[in-house]
Amino acid sequence: MLRSWLDWHRETLAVKCAGLTEDQLRTRSVPPSTLSLLGLVRHMADVERTWFRRRLNGEGLGRIYFSDDDPDGEFDNAGTASAEEAFATWREEIEHARAAEAACADLDATTKTGREGVHYSLRWILIHMIEEYARHNGHADLLRERIDGATGE
């Protein structure tokens, strides 16, 4: 059930972005926010990587779109970013995430690397990811409505 809900939320973000031009995907919400649909896709690519590859698998990977020096880079730098690249990266990170969680037979298995000394179970990660997507899909719904009036699930 957790995997199904996570996939549903992943697909919901894709649906919110479907049929839009690159410029529309870059459309910001309201000043001073740099929130955009493209920024959300870039953000979720990093979130997928962080929880499944960096934490669960312990892979020594860096962040994709932001850094300590540019903590909101996934949003702030979306104004000139390639939508094609961002969606390809996001989809690739989802596939890596699915492989990492499938390799964990036990939902109570914990992360190989912690955050501030805390290790998380795969169950916790899946629930957190559902929450993360659900929250951002709410943002995506408002952004999409602003762009072309489309609303819905």
Side-chain angles (χ1 to χ4, degrees):
M1 184 184 305
L2 294 174
R3 291 175 180 105
S4 293
W5 274 112
L6 179 53
D7 281 340
W8 186 85
H9 278 291
R10 287 168 170 155
E11 188 56 29
T12 297
L13 181 56
V15 166
K16 292 295 172 189
C17 297
L20 297 177
T21 67
E22 198 158 90
D23 285 339
Q24 288 173 314
L25 291 167
R26 291 180 182 139
T27 300
R28 304 277 169 89
S29 59
V30 292
S33 176
T34 59
L35 185 67
S36 68
L37 288 169
L38 186 55
L40 286 173
V41 169
R42 290 161 47 99
H43 175 70
M44 292 313 299
D46 263 310
V47 172
E48 294 274 1
R49 173 179 279 204
T50 294
W51 284 107
F52 290 100
R53 297 179 75 189
R54 294 176 67 209
R55 298 277 182 248
L56 186 63
N57 270 0
E59 296 177 39
L61 300 169
R63 298 171 182 133
I64 306 168
Y65 298 113
F66 73 99
S67 65
D68 290 340
D69 293 334
D70 192 8
D72 294 318
E74 69 268 54
F75 298 108
D76 293 348
N77 303 321
T80 57
S82 163
E84 183 178 341
E85 181 277 330
F87 278 89
T89 299
W90 177 53
R91 293 282 187 205
E92 183 177 313
E93 289 303 324
I94 289 171
E95 290 309 312
H96 284 295
R98 284 182 178 138
E101 68 93 8
C104 259
D106 184 0
L107 287 174
D108 293 319
T110 57
T111 55
K112 290 189 171 94
T113 60
R115 183 173 78 177
E116 299 173 5
V118 177
H119 290 266
Y120 300 86
S121 70
L122 175 57
R123 181 186 323 276
W124 187 96
I125 292 170
L126 292 170
I127 292 169
H128 173 69
M129 291 297 294
I130 292 165
E131 174 274 326
E132 182 90 9
Y133 271 102
R135 180 167 26 98
H136 290 313
N137 282 338
H139 299 138
D141 197 38
L142 293 171
L143 287 162
R144 181 63 188 250
E145 185 176 11
R146 180 176 186 269
I147 293 166
D148 67 359
T151 59
E153 290 188 38

